[in-house]
Amino acid sequence: MAQPTGVYVTFSSKGLREDLENVIYDISPTETPFMSMGGRTDAIAVNHEWQTDALATAVATNFNEEGATLTAAEPAATTRLGNICQISLKTTLVSGTLDAVSKAGRKEELAYQMSKRAAELKRDMETSLIGANTGKTAMAADSTVRKLGSLTSWITTNASIGSGGTAVGSGGAGAVRTDGTQRAFTETLLKAVILLAYNNGANTKYLMMAPAQKQTFSSFVGVGGSSGVSNWTDTADGRIIGGMDIYVSDFGEMAVVPNRFQRSRDVWLLDPEYYKLAYLRPFNQREVASTSDGEQRAIIVEYTLQVDNEKAHGAVYDLS
């Protein structure tokens, strides 16, 4: 139908109010499961240290004659380990005018921006802890940028490694590992590490993996036969079940946790009782002196990863 002559339409009209919702929609992921699951402790030095120990290997030859001479055996010393505290921060600068004008979705721009920086800082920390292959960097000069050793630099005993890859030495010491040739994630690889971890005293409670590996995990056959058990229909409520969240191994149940911020090439076997975040300076919001017409704020945290005993955990490395 043609528009009649002389009709007054919105395009020509002035003074129309805008139609802007008073909500800001943001679905950026903020879950940090590795940080959330672990414990917390205090650091009192840049090089945060702890000790590990182990019992002697069990033997079947501990038998002695009557009246045997007792000979003192010197016990093995504890192992002293340490990780370096890293400084992470986020800043924002908001003009006085922007904070004064009327805005949709937030009242104070500075407060809104600082809430975003806090969430971003947590995401950065999760990525530093579990989403990077980083060795610890200690102070070598005044200008040294200190870095913590990520989880890859600690888990070595209970590990499956691709061809050409390396672990990080006996007991884990915060040294960077060499990535190996990538291979498909299989249940065979996972079960081998679960067995290794159990034999070394671990009681794995969680499997943590990237979303793509979580989908691969859900296709594992388990004991269900060659057809698998991952996609089946629950006729009672009409659901199609396409994922698995609990793995029942020969040595106990493990919850499966996806993590958006970790590397897809690593799958972790974790016991949260045996790792912590150590804070030298907990989260602190500071005012920053500004010479501009605005307010500047910073959020600063100084922290490191404490892996109480790396044998409590495991890793399937170098996955495609």
Side-chain angles (χ1 to χ4, degrees):
M1 179 180 293
Q3 188 181 76
T5 303
V7 65
Y8 190 34
V9 296
T10 56
F11 181 78
S12 303
S13 178
K14 305 297 182 183
L16 300 179
R17 293 190 180 277
E18 64 179 4
D19 181 12
L20 177 61
E21 286 199 30
N22 197 33
V23 177
I24 299 173
Y25 299 96
D26 184 355
I27 65 165
S28 302
T30 57
E31 299 91 349
T32 52
F34 182 76
M35 287 176 58
S36 299
M37 283 168 30
R40 173 173 174 155
T41 189
D42 295 325
I44 59 172
V46 167
N47 181 27
H48 177 66
E49 296 183 289
W50 61 95
Q51 298 179 82
T52 63
D53 205 351
L55 300 178
T57 303
V59 298
T61 56
N62 192 351
F63 39 77
N64 300 274
E65 63 184 9
E66 288 186 32
T69 301
L70 302 181
T71 304
E74 182 179 355
T78 60
T79 300
R80 185 169 173 172
L81 299 170
N83 206 353
I84 300 299
C85 288
Q86 170 178 308
I87 301 172
S88 296
L89 58 84
K90 286 283 184 176
T91 62
T92 192
L93 174 61
V94 174
S95 74
T97 302
L98 180 55
D99 234 359
V101 299
S102 179
K103 298 169 287 293
R106 69 277 195 200
K107 183 177 180 181
E108 295 182 358
E109 187 66 29
L110 182 60
Y112 173 67
Q113 291 299 330
M114 287 305 292
S115 69
K116 287 182 61 179
R117 298 297 91 77
E120 290 168 357
L121 183 55
K122 287 184 62 180
R123 287 158 47 109
D124 289 352
M125 293 172 66
E126 184 84 351
T127 304
S128 294
L129 293 164
I130 201 171
N133 181 23
T134 308
K136 65 182 181 181
T137 301
M139 290 290 291
D142 290 344
S143 59
T144 302
V145 178
R146 289 182 272 112
K147 299 177 184 178
L148 61 82
S150 64
L151 191 59
T152 57
S153 69
W154 292 99
I155 309 306
T156 178
T157 302
N158 308 318
S160 172
I161 301 170
S163 176
T166 62
V168 292
S170 177
V176 66
R177 69 173 297 268
T178 300
D179 287 330
T181 302
Q182 291 176 272
R183 62 261 166 88
F185 182 30
T186 66
E187 190 173 11
T188 299
L189 292 176
L190 177 61
K191 291 179 73 172
V193 176
I194 290 173
L195 176 61
L196 189 61
Y198 181 80
N199 284 338
N200 283 312
N203 292 298
T204 304
K205 296 179 176 64
Y206 293 93
L207 301 176
M208 186 171 288
M209 59 194 72
Q213 300 298 359
K214 174 62 168 66
Q215 288 192 318
T216 300
F217 168 83
S218 291
S219 69
F220 286 177
V221 171
V223 295
S226 59
S227 62
V229 296
S230 62
N231 290 302
W232 55 280
T233 301
D234 184 348
T235 56
D237 58 9
R239 293 183 299 167
I240 297 177
I241 310 300
M244 294 296 176
D245 297 320
I246 298 291
Y247 188 77
V248 183
S249 76
D250 292 302
F251 313 108
E253 292 188 358
M254 303 171 195
V256 185
V257 181
N259 190 327
R260 294 182 176 96
F261 300 107
Q262 75 170 74
R263 302 198 307 173
S264 185
R265 65 184 297 142
D266 306 319
V267 167
W268 303 105
L269 291 72
L270 300 174
D271 184 348
E273 293 184 24
Y274 288 94
Y275 76 83
K276 301 177 180 69
L277 263 68
Y279 289 92
L280 183 60
R281 287 189 291 165
F283 292 92
N284 179 41
Q285 184 176 149
R286 293 177 53 186
E287 293 186 18
V288 181
S290 176
T291 57
S292 63
D293 177 18
E295 290 191 68
Q296 187 171 2
R297 294 285 190 278
I299 302 178
I300 302 173
V301 62
E302 193 165 359
Y303 68 103
T304 194
L305 173 63
Q306 175 178 323
V307 180
D308 297 334
N309 193 314
E310 61 90 22
K311 290 182 181 179
H313 315 287
V316 185
Y317 290 127
D318 304 320
L319 300 176
S320 56

